[in-house]
Amino acid sequence: MDKNTELINKANEIIEKNRDIAEGDYYRLKYHIMPPTGLLNDPNGFIHYKGEYHLFYQFHPFDTTHGLKYWAHMKSKDLVHWEELPIALAPSKWYETHGCYSGSAVKNDGILTLVYTGNVKDEEGNRETYQCLATTEDGIQFSKYDNNPVMYNQPEGYTRHFRDPKVWKKDGLWYMVIGTQTVKEEGRVLLFKSKDLKDWELVGEVAGSNLNDLGYLGYMWECPDLFSLNGKDVLIFSPQGIEAKGDLYNNIYQSGYFVGKLDYSTGKMEHGEFIEIDRGFEFYAPQTTLDEKGRRIMFAWMGLPEREEHPTVEHKWIHAMTLPRVLELKGSKLYQKPVEELKLLRKDQVTYKDILIDNEEIILQKISGDVLELLVEFELEDANEFGIKLRCSEDGKEETVLYYDRNNEKFIFDRNKSGKGYKGIRRCKIPNTNILKLHIFMDRSSLEVFINDGEEVFTGRIYPSKESLGIKLFAKEGKVKIRNISKWNL
Ligand code: FRU
């Protein structure tokens, strides 16, 4: 048996052994992508190909820790209903002995082609990284390119933390961004070009920590993605090593973006400030694709590196993907909206209109649950704080609170009383306007909150007990009006 088949068989054995244990977990999500067992991290190879969306992800089948990484493979016609396909890549070759790391997918002469990083560590823990190709004829079985790696040498001045190729085509040439760090430990994104995906030439540094006018912004930049949107260029990346500053950068590592203009001849990007994409707790390594309908769609890992103490590990699985989100650019700000197709999941609509809440907490009879979508439109009156409590227990001990602090113009996600798992509070500035719109997706142990049509998004995992299904609306020190609240079971 060849090494590849052997590794895939080993993974499949453990998946089948543990699948039911994972399935038996109350915290399993109902409409998000999760690993069958084991650990999921970055979205990889996201592409709309021949009318189907393919999404791969970093997968460690054997355990809920970061071990030997494979590429798991899912596909979907509508971004909502996903089919689990056989494992796409297993780390079977000399250039990837310690994992098939993150990368992207392109259509090259009609052929679905993966571009990824082969990760190798020697006995002393020294790292080597190589950029590699794999292709498929049938969209299921992948073959690695015979002359891998296609990038063996890397330019001088950078460490072997050199990975996560994201590739696209422009004016007949292939371009690739890579995440790395300088030998002085400053995060960088580099731009390469190629005629054939095989011979790559360095164009230059796109952006970096301590580069040009940017001050220090982390020691390593992972998972870059560069694309144009609305006539501007957007660089998304995940920097490591930024210190928390007030409400900003409170997770272990960040994911954010620059908006500006890339000079394809020098590789340099003129850009504005760094902005975090998501304001919640679990969000990392986002990747986008342009779909056949012309939408820029993003998935991210709903998890973080070095945060493996989620209660799901008892059931031998950990982490999930966010919902797919459409990106739009308004001025220099990214807006994120859940894809329209998610409406396919809606059932049992309940709507209430024009409810005045006056310094009190109310319960609406038909609004409760743990797998649902909520649209709430608050009209500001004089309350200083107002919002919604989800997953409330009857004894009042458990609740997850989403609220607006009008004096400070901040939206707040408080999971200190959410049950098991990581705790904490995240806040973000939302300028005071007459209306506050919340679009909430709750899925057993996850929450994604889209504010004011995607102006900000808060994502987080919560682990309340299964009896905590209550939903309450409240206003403090004054009134707020609920213009409209709709709920769907999903
Ligand atoms: C980001 C990351 C990538 C790497 C992959 C390994 O979470 O560290 O830089 O390719 O995960 O799983």
Side-chain angles (χ1 to χ4, degrees):
M1 197 191 306
D2 69 43
K3 180 92 195 258
N4 202 57
T5 317
E6 191 186 310
L7 280 170
I8 289 184
N9 288 350
K10 247 174 94 182
N12 287 337
E13 235 170 73
I14 191 103
I15 294 168
E16 292 324 316
K17 185 168 153 239
N18 291 339
R19 194 185 281 276
D20 290 348
I21 302 175
E23 282 306 322
D25 187 4
Y26 166 71
Y27 295 127
R28 276 311 262 182
L29 303 173
K30 298 295 166 192
Y31 57 93
H32 285 80
I33 291 173
M34 298 165 290
T37 70
L39 175 142
L40 164 156
N41 59 300
D42 314 351
N44 292 158
F46 184 28
I47 191 169
H48 198 190
Y49 176 75
K50 294 189 181 164
E52 292 181 313
Y53 295 92
H54 290 257
L55 182 72
F56 305 78
Y57 59 83
Q58 285 288 285
F59 179 38
H60 181 219
F62 302 106
D63 201 348
T64 54
T65 58
H66 287 271
L68 196 59
K69 296 289 168 68
Y70 290 58
W71 276 42
H73 186 190
M74 311 283 292
K75 79 170 184 182
S76 169
K77 287 199 164 57
D78 59 12
L79 290 164
V80 175
H81 303 93
W82 292 89
E83 184 187 340
E84 183 183 327
L85 294 175
I87 285 172
L89 300 177
S92 56
K93 302 283 188 188
W94 65 266
Y95 49 78
E96 57 190 12
T97 52
H98 289 68
C100 298
Y101 271 16
S102 286
S104 51
V106 290
K107 199 163 99 179
N108 179 22
D109 284 337
I111 295 186
L112 176 53
T113 305
L114 308 181
V115 190
Y116 66 100
T117 300
N119 179 50
V120 175
K121 277 185 201 158
D122 69 13
E123 273 135 40
E124 279 98 57
N126 297 317
R127 189 189 284 269
E128 295 291 334
T129 45
Y130 306 104
Q131 314 316 318
C132 309
L133 302 180
T135 52
T136 180
E137 298 286 327
D138 61 2
I140 296 177
Q141 299 295 328
F142 286 81
S143 325
K144 289 169 191 161
Y145 175 50
D146 284 339
N147 291 326
N148 269 346
V150 291
M151 203 188 285
Y152 183 87
N153 294 314
Q154 57 179 70
E156 298 249 318
Y158 307 96
T159 74
R160 287 310 228 174
H161 286 281
F162 195 90
R163 55 179 176 260
D164 311 336
K166 176 77 182 354
V167 179
W168 71 99
K169 198 173 208 175
K170 188 180 182 334
D171 303 331
L173 274 185
W174 293 106
Y175 289 91
M176 171 201 280
V177 275
I178 288 262
T180 183
Q181 63 180 182
T182 63
V183 290
K184 289 197 263 169
E185 300 200 353
E186 304 154 309
R188 284 288 181 279
V189 170
L190 303 185
L191 181 71
F192 291 83
K193 65 176 180 189
S194 170
K195 288 198 182 74
D196 56 6
L197 294 177
K198 291 165 186 161
D199 282 320
W200 289 96
E201 184 189 326
L202 177 67
V203 183
E205 293 186 323
V206 178
S209 184
N210 290 334
L211 187 69
N212 303 321
D213 298 331
L214 190 69
Y216 180 75
L217 197 74
Y219 58 80
M220 169 69 195
W221 289 10
E222 299 191 303
C223 300
D225 190 350
L226 210 164
F227 51 88
S228 71
L229 195 60
N230 230 356
K232 294 187 177 156
D233 294 315
V234 181
L235 173 67
I236 285 183
F237 59 104
S238 295
Q240 300 183 311
I242 306 181
E243 273 179 34
K245 194 169 135 197
D247 296 337
L248 301 176
Y249 320 139
N250 282 287
N251 296 333
I252 177 167
Y253 302 130
Q254 279 59 55
S255 290
Y257 64 95
F258 291 140
V259 174
K261 190 85 204 140
L262 175 71
D263 182 336
Y264 275 85
S265 63
T266 62
K268 183 176 167 188
M269 182 175 180
E270 297 291 343
H271 61 77
E273 59 170 336
F274 176 71
I275 305 174
E276 279 177 284
I277 299 175
D278 193 283
R279 307 298 183 165
F281 299 93
E282 277 88 20
F283 185 93
Y284 199 66
Q287 188 177 87
T288 73
T289 197
L290 188 67
D291 79 351
E292 289 166 355
K293 298 176 183 163
R295 300 177 296 180
R296 179 59 59 177
I297 303 176
M298 175 182 76
F299 271 105
W301 171 23
M302 192 157 52
L304 284 169
E306 295 159 52
R307 288 288 178 275
E308 275 96 64
E309 283 165 33
H310 288 271
T312 59
V313 299
E314 281 174 42
H315 285 265
K316 300 194 181 292
W317 72 284
I318 188 167
H319 303 312
M321 217 49 91
T322 63
L323 289 175
R325 303 173 183 178
V326 176
L327 297 183
E328 283 164 18
L329 197 64
K330 294 196 185 163
S332 290
K333 189 166 165 43
L334 276 185
Y335 275 62
Q336 304 166 59
K337 296 193 177 138
V339 296
E340 284 287 315
E341 289 89 330
L342 286 160
K343 290 185 180 157
L344 294 169
L345 296 172
R346 289 178 171 177
K347 291 180 300 202
D348 323 320
Q349 178 172 351
V350 176
T351 299
Y352 293 84
K353 282 187 191 302
D354 299 326
I355 303 168
L356 192 71
I357 309 180
D358 186 358
N359 201 21
E360 62 188 327
E361 198 168 86
I362 67 158
I363 293 176
L364 298 171
Q365 259 237 317
K366 293 184 189 144
I367 296 198
S368 65
D370 57 0
V371 182
L372 50 84
E373 178 185 349
L374 275 170
L375 260 176
V376 196
E377 250 183 79
F378 294 96
E379 189 175 316
L380 276 65
E381 301 228 354
D382 58 354
N384 283 329
E385 274 181 18
F386 61 87
I388 185 162
K389 297 183 178 178
L390 306 168
R391 303 302 308 261
C392 304
S393 62
E394 295 211 336
D395 63 9
K397 285 194 180 138
E398 267 183 17
E399 58 184 25
T400 298
V401 194
L402 304 172
Y403 66 103
Y404 189 62
D405 169 346
R406 203 167 54 111
N407 293 331
N408 296 306
E409 299 187 273
K410 286 200 174 153
F411 187 82
I412 297 145
F413 178 171
D414 180 344
R415 66 172 181 188
N416 277 327
K417 288 165 67 183
S418 292
K420 298 184 198 164
Y422 295 102
K423 310 250 171 292
I425 295 183
R426 292 290 179 270
R427 296 185 180 84
C428 172
K429 179 102 184 168
I430 299 281
N432 215 329
T433 50
N434 185 33
I435 301 287
L436 181 82
K437 269 201 228 173
L438 303 184
H439 192 179
I440 302 172
F441 287 84
M442 185 199 288
D443 191 358
R444 285 283 170 94
S445 59
S446 78
L447 268 186
E448 285 157 282
V449 186
F450 297 80
I451 300 167
N452 293 343
D453 299 311
E455 178 184 338
E456 299 291 348
V457 187
F458 284 69
T459 300
R461 300 297 300 276
I462 52 167
Y463 301 97
S465 65
K466 59 169 173 270
E467 296 77 27
S468 302
L469 299 171
I471 296 183
K472 298 171 183 169
L473 294 143
F474 68 93
K476 282 187 189 163
E477 296 159 42
K479 298 190 245 337
V480 74
K481 188 165 141 191
I482 303 207
R483 275 199 174 177
N484 182 85
I485 175 166
S486 294
K487 182 209 103 175
W488 294 266
N489 294 325
L490 302 182

